[in-house]
Amino acid sequence: MARSVWPSVPADALVLVPVGSTEQHGPHLPLNTDSVIAQSVAQAAAERLAAGRPDRPVLTAPTIAYGASGEHRDFPGTVSIGHDALHVVLVETVRSLSLWAGRIVFVNGHGGNVPTLGSAVGQLRDEGHDVAWLGCDTPGSDAHAGRAETSVMLHLAPGDVLLPEAVVGDTRPLAVLMPELTTRGVRAVSPSGVLGDPTGATAEEGRASFESMVTTAVRRIAAGRANVRGRLTDPASRSTPPCAPAAYTPVPPAPRTKAAHP
């Protein structure tokens, strides 16, 4: 979409908006890791959706590259705009896109953005916008800059991965780390910034993980089934009816793969 001229932009298109972050990912992964993954998943999903429905245009918007990354504030290079600013960015992005686009889906690559995505998309759906969101999830993976993310980046951007610099971080489960992460930040738990173990990461493993992310994204976008906070779920899920209306009510942050600074 970013390289298009306005007369070529189709009306009523499905627009996928990648949402990432600019934050430390240990001594071996680039600051734009989350943004690279979100943009890559969105682009691949858009191509598959367009191929399956040539009558329905699908566009990938420029990536929102700054997110809520306060938990990484003690590492140089991190740029966090916080939850309040991110909420405004997401809301105004959809209000603007809705003037010409049809359906809008945020594709999120950073766990710290999850609470804000839920609240912003919930508000927007309550306003009547056709918007939802999904995450680039790898079930069972380590939390941050570990084997899973390192493998995916070796597949997507191998030239940006400094594999010899990779170190083992804190490998305890995120549920155990969360209290300290939310109060003191990542550096208090892991001086290297790694939460997990990148040892054994491979591009082939990353390719399989990336394929799973894209396949899941395509399946959920095509089904259009969302929970009350606008998060797309699998068609087989029976927890909520398809495209349930999203009430804009404060709720505790949803579980996430990375800690979010309060």
Side-chain angles (χ1 to χ4, degrees), residues 14-18 103-107 130-134 221 232:
L14 164 61
V15 180
L16 307 186
V17 184
R103 184 181 172 205
I104 301 155
V105 176
F106 289 111
V107 179
D130 189 355
V131 59
W133 69 279
L134 57 84
I221 293 169
L232 293 172

Side-chain angles (χ1 to χ4, degrees), residues 230-259:
R231 186 169 193 166
L232 293 172
T233 61
D234 280 324
S237 172
R238 297 182 179 180
S239 58
T240 56
C243 297
Y248 180 45
T249 53
V251 295
R256 50 200 183 274
T257 55
K258 298 179 191 173

Side-chain angles (χ1 to χ4, degrees), residues 170-235:
D170 196 315
T171 59
R172 289 177 292 168
L174 189 57
V176 175
L177 295 172
M178 188 62 73
E180 191 169 4
L181 288 177
T182 55
T183 57
R184 300 179 59 201
V186 172
R187 192 150 202 166
V189 172
S190 174
S192 69
V194 177
L195 300 176
D197 182 0
T199 302
T202 66
E204 182 58 25
E205 186 173 309
R207 185 203 63 77
S209 294
F210 179 73
E211 175 63 25
S212 175
M213 291 178 189
V214 175
T215 300
T216 299
V218 170
R219 182 174 66 245
R220 292 179 177 178
I221 293 169
R225 184 186 188 99
N227 65 19
V228 295
R229 305 195 86 205
R231 186 169 193 166
L232 293 172
T233 61
D234 280 324

